Amino acid sequence: MPSSSTRRIRLAAATSTAALLCGLFTALPAQAAAPRTGSDHTPDRVAGAHTDVPSFVRGLEDRAAKSASGRKETPALAAEEHLAQHEDVFHTKDLDLSKPKASTVDGRTTVSFTQRHKGIPVLGAEYKVHTKGTEVESASGSLFTDLEVSATPKLTSRQAQNRLFADESLRKLSPKGRTIEAHDLVVLPRGEGVLTYHFTVKGTQRSGEPVSQQVYVDAHTGGIAFSYNDVAGIAAAGAPAAAPAQASAADEDPAVTEGPVTAKGTNYDGATVSLNAYQRADGKVELRDRTQTMFQKTGGEILTYDAQGGDVQDYQSVLPEGTPLASADSTEFPAASTDTGAVDAHVNAAKVYAFYKKQFKRDGIDGKGGTMRSVVNVTSNGVAYPNAFWDGTKMVYGNINGAPASVGLDVVGHEMTHGITEHTAGLLYVSQSGALNEAISDYFGEAMEVDDEGLAMNDPMAGLIGEDLCGHDEDPATCALRDLSDGRRADRDYLNIPLASDNGGVHSNSTIIGGAMWDMRKSLSKKFADNVIYTAALENFTPWTDFLQARYGIVDAARRLGATSTQLQQINNAFDAHGIVPGWEDVEAPRDSVTLAKDIAPGAEGMDMSHNIAVDGDRWATSYVDLKSFFDGTPEYGIKTGLLSQPEKGATDLSTPGVWMIDPALKGNKLYYSRVGVNGADVVSRPAGGGKNARETVVAGGPGDQREADIDGNTVTWVDIQGDEADVWVKQGARPAVNITPEPGTSAVRPKIAGGKVSFIDYGGTSTTMLNVYDLASEKLTATKAGDLLSSATDYVANGDYGFAVITNPFLLGFQNVKGYDLSDPANTAKQKSVKLRSIIGSGVQLAVNDTQLVRTDLMASMFGTGNANQPKLEVANVQDVMTGDGGTWQRVSCAVTGQMYPGMDDGSQRVVWADTRGTTDIVTRETPAGTCS
């Protein structure tokens, strides 16, 4: 790269309830409490969230009391007895903690404890006590004091596994090569806890994007309690896994090797570089580096493989038999090794090893001298795979903008740092902890590149992530994946992105915390800043560390490294400048809408893309997550409903203890929803207004999960999920229900019924998703593509005349667009239209439609600017103009300084009902759009 000169809870939208259970409470602030600055900004004690155990403590310095135990004084003993002697502070006496595990670096010892509940591990529950010798200096982490959930499951592991595919993210995976691994029981923390079965489902989306889905099934109800993809790409989704499975190959047989050689190659920028290689007895020279110190100690090597155009889905956590090391016929590597990225991958991997070894005495990614593997030249469905990722065992590189993804040291350093974070902090790859995970990778990847190229920290190019992957005619400042100097603030710019999109903002929000750390590197010496960040990640951070906890951990690490008061001030200034201060999620905002129900945690935030708000006539209904039940540890979804004409009466609660109520739909005064329990999910109906005769009637039952009901007149449609199969059923009046997709291989979502047509998205295709339209009169089903080799439909709405699919490319942050279909002739491409979004490329797009209006909101707009104007805003246009006119004139639904999501509409009006976020979330409405907002 050339050089140039009062906390309010608002639940982040999530794929599953884990975001709620495990403390991923986030906010979409409009303004923050006035920050306090200065080196004394870090308090001596920070309360934990919904637990009696503080998340951070310092200032309780004492020695282990030998007389208390009679044992030899050690750091581990000091930590144990420190917790016991200060029970009034730590409240750990009754917790089931593991035996202490101590590790020492440069005289600093970290003693770690993990938590179990009735013998079952608690997800992410870890506490670290920091000592100098046997002097306790501080403690930090997350432990949970109120866990009382029964350890006896009501489902077997096999029954829980049979419920997996109610998680529609799994139905988006190609059946080819998909694997399911069952783990032990795990307790999700908060309140009484949630007992779950943990599964790992690995495979690829039909576009070829690798997925390692961590799924937690409630062992008491069978609902999906937590689900997220932990494959970390430079711009998409790090995954813990075992060493890559691989068969022995000739290029790994020491019997046919002769020894190390120095080879030469040309990097992608055209410079000649030296390569630490190995010459075999047959004369072949392969990219095998045995010159690093780890080889002498452990036999660890740096290996670079050439996939030779193999499909990326074959390289996730495995190394296929016979995959060759990149090689040449002599010590001069040809241009082909440049084009595949093998030269850059090999050189940059060695630089990453050298950086961590020199800076921190760390011996490789695992810290134990383990082999570092890279695979270049993978494709996806026969075309370039535009990403790079760490899969828990190795690096995998594709090609971005015509350049191999391994050309940027910042990209290589970023991805390999994911591996180091996995072996140290173990930060969970969701929401704030996931954004911190990404920020650490950005920080160290860019630090390596800046130092390698001799850039000044104030150089405009310093801080750009992935700019080497820009096209030849693109401005690096505008095409880089991220910029650590973008100035984003938590109290102004934090984005509430659904967990189903970017894992809750792990990339989108990373530069907030990453920018604070980068500012530290600008104001402190680079070496000291690097040591502070690394030490905090190694010794302070635990799986659920959020932004504010990261601040306290970094300050604590700096103090233990001997920071001066001036240096501590500079660190605090960096976090103040990025709005990471106590109360950053406190918000207040005026509204121009009518409030229907206050302090609602929408059910859509707990269930992936769940139907959330239904409207019909004067009646509205929403699914919601009961916060108290989550804090009590019992996952409960309920329904709230009310009248638009009587907002002063608020909402009626129709929840039922012990079951989940999700996917609401309305027809007049009749409410339909899915009732989820231990034996499955049924579609039921009941009078929406309540009353003594408000009994449930089963509309659709059976052995599977019946989900996503929609109603038109006296006709109901829904999805019946049984394993991989997800069929669409229709029931017209008193006639028997009919499966309109009886052929094997259907995997349907979002069935919509209107105007005599049932339309839905089908993931069952071998290469792409399809939009299917079924005419009830003719009983004819028409299918057309909804996506291509690199994208697929991920959400869908329809009004009978037109259908609108959100098309998602899983690469590069899951960018989205919207395509409209004429349902009278859906396969006619001339009648298909692209729908405008607020930004050129979208993410987290949400839609609603009625007979005359189309509503959109786009979270991506928030990524390209700051302040209120760039928060998620609902906009509305005439649907006919969108499809047959000039694309529609879009008006703001509301001018409020809020985040606006999950819209619902009724036919025959411009009224929108939505979830309005201002720290807490309320259900609100407007009869007509606000129009143009200044």
Side-chain angles (χ1 to χ4, degrees):
M1 178 182 70
S3 133
S4 66
S5 301
T6 332
R7 178 180 166 103
R8 294 191 175 202
I9 303 297
R10 189 269 184 232
L11 303 177
T15 302
S16 67
T17 62
L20 315 175
L21 294 168
C22 300
L24 304 185
F25 300 95
T26 61
L28 187 59
Q31 64 187 35
R36 292 176 292 146
T37 61
S39 60
D40 62 348
H41 184 64
T42 303
D44 288 340
R45 194 179 308 173
V46 180
H50 309 290
T51 178
D52 293 333
V53 180
S55 65
F56 175 77
V57 178
R58 68 182 177 96
L60 298 177
E61 298 174 0
D62 54 26
R63 297 180 66 82
K66 296 179 184 179
S67 59
S69 66
R71 291 180 287 167
K72 181 181 178 181
E73 190 177 49
T74 65
L77 178 59
E80 280 187 307
E81 297 199 346
H82 181 80
L83 296 181
Q85 290 166 6
H86 298 285
E87 171 64 16
D88 60 321
V89 173
F90 294 104
H91 305 284
T92 59
K93 180 180 66 174
D94 296 326
L95 300 185
D96 181 5
L97 300 184
S98 65
K99 291 183 178 180
K101 183 178 179 181
S103 61
T104 301
V105 178
D106 295 334
R108 301 182 313 277
T109 299
T110 300
V111 182
S112 300
F113 301 85
T114 58
Q115 182 181 2
R116 301 174 74 88
H117 171 67
K118 299 180 180 179
I120 299 170
V122 179
L123 182 67
E126 184 176 2
Y127 213 62
K128 294 182 176 181
V129 179
H130 314 291
T131 76
K132 187 174 183 179
T134 56
E135 295 284 350
V136 174
E137 296 185 307
S138 58
S140 57
S142 298
L143 297 175
F144 304 92
T145 53
D146 299 327
L147 300 178
E148 295 181 5
V149 65
S150 168
T152 303
K154 294 182 180 179
L155 288 83
T156 66
S157 178
R158 173 56 62 180
Q159 288 172 322
Q161 184 168 326
N162 290 339
R163 303 287 292 275
L164 278 175
F165 289 90
D167 180 355
E168 68 182 51
S169 63
L170 302 184
R171 289 186 275 138
K172 298 174 186 178
L173 302 182
S174 170
K176 177 186 175 183
R178 188 185 64 207
T179 63
I180 300 174
E181 181 181 1
H183 306 288
D184 294 331
L185 288 165
V186 174
V187 171
L188 302 184
R190 284 296 182 253
E192 293 181 356
V194 180
L195 184 69
T196 67
Y197 288 105
H198 176 204
F199 300 90
T200 298
V201 183
K202 291 186 178 182
T204 57
Q205 297 182 18
R206 284 168 173 78
S207 59
E209 183 70 356
V211 170
S212 178
Q213 199 79 11
Q214 306 302 322
V215 188
Y216 297 80
V217 179
D218 189 325
H220 290 154
T221 68
I224 305 298
F226 190 11
S227 178
Y228 69 98
N229 176 21
D230 67 358
V231 173
I234 182 65
Q246 61 187 93
S248 60
D251 58 22
E252 297 247 24
D253 184 354
V256 296
T257 61
E258 288 198 343
V261 294
T262 300
K264 292 188 181 299
T266 303
N267 68 15
Y268 200 74
D269 287 337
T272 300
V273 294
S274 295
L275 299 166
N276 293 323
Y278 207 83
Q279 188 165 39
R280 303 194 319 220
D282 61 3
K284 280 278 188 181
V285 177
E286 57 194 15
L287 294 184
R288 176 195 295 274
D289 183 354
R290 291 183 170 178
T291 67
Q292 309 297 338
T293 56
M294 62 178 172
F295 181 70
Q296 283 72 38
K297 293 181 178 180
T298 66
E301 306 171 83
I302 296 175
L303 303 175
T304 302
Y305 295 86
D306 185 352
Q308 299 179 325
D311 199 287
V312 65
Q313 69 179 339
D314 297 327
Y315 288 85
Q316 184 191 350
S317 299
V318 297
L319 191 61
E321 182 177 359
T323 302
L325 289 166
S327 62
D329 294 330
S330 70
T331 56
E332 299 288 334
F333 273 72
S337 297
T338 303
D339 295 339
T340 63
V343 170
D344 283 290
H346 199 65
V347 169
N348 286 335
K351 289 180 178 179
V352 173
Y353 177 83
F355 177 86
Y356 279 103
K357 184 67 174 175
K358 180 180 178 180
Q359 280 282 86
F360 314 118
K361 303 175 185 177
R362 185 177 186 86
D363 201 12
I365 290 175
D366 63 1
K368 300 176 182 178
T371 292
M372 297 167 58
R373 296 176 174 87
S374 301
V375 178
V376 301
N377 198 16
V378 298
T379 62
S380 175
N381 291 314
V383 298
Y385 170 66
N387 214 331
F389 62 90
W390 165 259
D391 73 353
T393 66
K394 64 184 180 302
M395 283 301 309
V396 180
Y397 298 102
N399 186 292
I400 302 177
N401 288 327
S406 58
V407 304
L409 178 56
D410 57 350
V411 172
V412 175
H414 172 107
E415 294 302 338
M416 289 187 168
T417 298
H418 275 306
I420 292 173
T421 299
E422 174 191 322
H423 287 286
T424 54
L427 290 161
L428 290 163
Y429 200 62
V430 288
S431 196
Q432 289 187 42
S433 61
L436 176 59
N437 191 324
E438 278 294 316
I440 292 169
S441 282
D442 277 353
Y443 176 93
F444 283 115
E446 189 61 16
M448 294 175 204
E449 186 166 272
V450 165
D451 292 356
D452 183 66
E453 298 185 354
L455 291 180
M457 286 298 294
N458 60 358
D459 191 300
M461 299 293 282
L464 298 181
I465 308 297
E467 77 289 345
D468 289 325
L469 303 175
C470 295
H472 294 299
D473 298 326
E474 294 182 282
D475 177 10
T478 58
C479 75
L481 297 174
R482 287 180 293 283
D483 183 1
L484 288 171
S485 299
D486 63 10
R488 297 181 72 225
R489 295 176 57 96
D491 57 359
R492 181 188 63 199
D493 306 315
Y494 187 89
L495 304 179
N496 276 296
I497 293 179
L499 202 61
S501 175
D502 191 30
N503 276 27
V506 297
H507 295 92
S508 311
N509 293 316
S510 65
T511 58
I512 295 172
I513 183 77
M517 296 190 297
W518 197 245
D519 284 355
M520 285 171 52
R521 204 173 198 259
K522 292 177 181 177
S523 60
L524 305 170
S525 76
K526 293 189 291 186
K527 183 175 182 179
F528 185 66
D530 294 349
N531 281 333
V532 169
I533 301 300
Y534 178 77
T535 299
L538 181 68
E539 301 175 15
N540 287 76
F541 297 168
T542 58
W544 290 116
T545 296
D546 62 21
F547 285 2
L548 196 58
Q549 289 170 330
R551 172 180 183 152
Y552 296 145
I554 287 171
V555 172
D556 186 56
R559 183 181 291 109
R560 287 184 288 112
L561 288 169
T564 65
S565 59
T566 299
Q567 289 172 322
L568 293 175
Q569 178 74 59
Q570 291 169 321
I571 293 171
N572 279 302
N573 288 347
F575 282 93
D576 289 341
H578 287 268
I580 302 173
V581 298
W584 70 264
E585 292 163 294
D586 292 352
V587 295
E588 294 292 343
R591 287 203 175 112
D592 56 5
S593 55
V594 175
T595 300
L596 299 172
K598 294 185 68 63
D599 297 340
I600 298 293
E605 301 185 337
M607 300 296 291
D608 182 14
M609 308 301 282
S610 173
H611 298 179
N612 189 61
I613 295 177
V615 188
D616 190 64
D618 192 34
R619 172 73 60 180
W620 65 270
T622 183
S623 60
Y624 73 95
V625 183
D626 177 57
L627 286 181
K628 183 181 184 301
S629 72
F630 273 99
F631 294 153
D632 290 344
T634 308
E636 297 281 347
Y637 289 87
I639 302 287
K640 287 188 184 292
T641 184
L643 297 176
L644 297 169
S645 62
Q646 300 178 31
E648 69 281 357
K649 290 190 175 181
T652 300
D653 183 4
L654 302 180
S655 62
T656 300
V659 299
W660 293 2
M661 300 166 68
I662 57 176
D663 298 339
L666 283 168
K667 187 60 183 177
N669 193 44
K670 184 172 282 190
L671 173 69
Y672 295 78
Y673 54 90
S674 288
R675 181 183 63 193
V676 181
V678 67
N679 294 318
D682 298 336
V683 172
V684 300
S685 67
R686 66 185 291 173
K692 63 181 180 179
N693 296 319
R695 298 178 180 177
E696 290 180 333
T697 301
V698 176
V699 177
D705 272 26
Q706 321 299 317
R707 296 283 305 275
E708 300 192 275
D710 196 35
I711 303 97
D712 185 36
N714 66 350
T715 303
V716 184
T717 186
W718 67 91
V719 175
D720 175 14
I721 306 166
Q722 298 190 48
D724 281 340
E725 198 76 13
D727 289 322
V728 177
W729 287 70
V730 175
K731 180 174 174 57
Q732 300 182 69
R735 288 153 60 176
V738 176
N739 180 2
I740 65 172
T741 57
E743 305 82 6
T746 302
S747 185
V749 296
R750 311 289 182 274
K752 303 296 179 184
I753 184 168
K757 299 182 181 68
V758 178
S759 55
F760 56 93
I761 297 298
D762 182 13
Y763 293 137
T766 57
S767 60
T768 187
T769 52
M770 305 295 288
L771 169 65
N772 291 349
V773 181
Y774 182 85
D775 188 289
L776 291 172
S778 66
E779 300 183 353
K780 177 184 177 182
L781 188 146
T782 303
T784 188
K785 288 184 177 180
D788 52 35
L789 288 177
L790 294 179
S791 61
S792 60
T794 53
D795 203 7
Y796 178 72
V797 298
N799 66 0
D801 295 322
Y802 302 108
F804 298 91
V806 178
I807 310 297
T808 302
N809 185 322
F811 309 113
L812 301 177
L813 286 174
F815 291 154
Q816 295 178 321
N817 59 73
V818 175
K819 181 175 284 188
Y821 298 85
D822 186 330
L823 297 184
S824 67
D825 192 9
N828 188 340
T829 56
K831 294 184 178 181
Q832 297 172 6
K833 293 295 179 68
S834 293
V835 177
K836 295 177 183 177
L837 296 174
R838 290 181 66 207
S839 56
I840 298 174
I841 48 179
S843 183
V845 175
Q846 298 170 353
L847 303 172
V849 67
N850 65 9
D851 54 346
T852 61
Q853 308 293 312
L854 176 66
V855 175
R856 71 181 186 196
T857 187
D858 177 13
L859 295 176
M860 177 53 72
S862 307
M863 300 181 196
F864 298 106
T866 59
N868 169 55
N870 291 294
Q871 300 296 353
K873 303 297 181 187
L874 294 174
E875 295 180 313
V876 62
N878 181 277
V879 68
Q880 194 74 25
D881 292 343
V882 170
M883 289 298 297
T884 63
D886 60 0
T889 300
W890 293 89
Q891 304 178 73
R892 285 272 298 277
V893 171
S894 166
C895 294
V897 186
T898 52
Q900 302 153 12
M901 293 177 283
Y902 314 121
M905 300 187 77
D906 181 32
D907 282 343
S909 76
Q910 291 184 301
R911 180 184 292 278
V912 181
V913 180
W914 73 92
D916 205 56
T917 296
R918 50 166 188 154
T920 55
T921 300
D922 298 346
I923 305 301
V924 304
T925 187
R926 277 188 64 97
E927 187 173 358
T928 58
T932 301
C933 302
S934 57

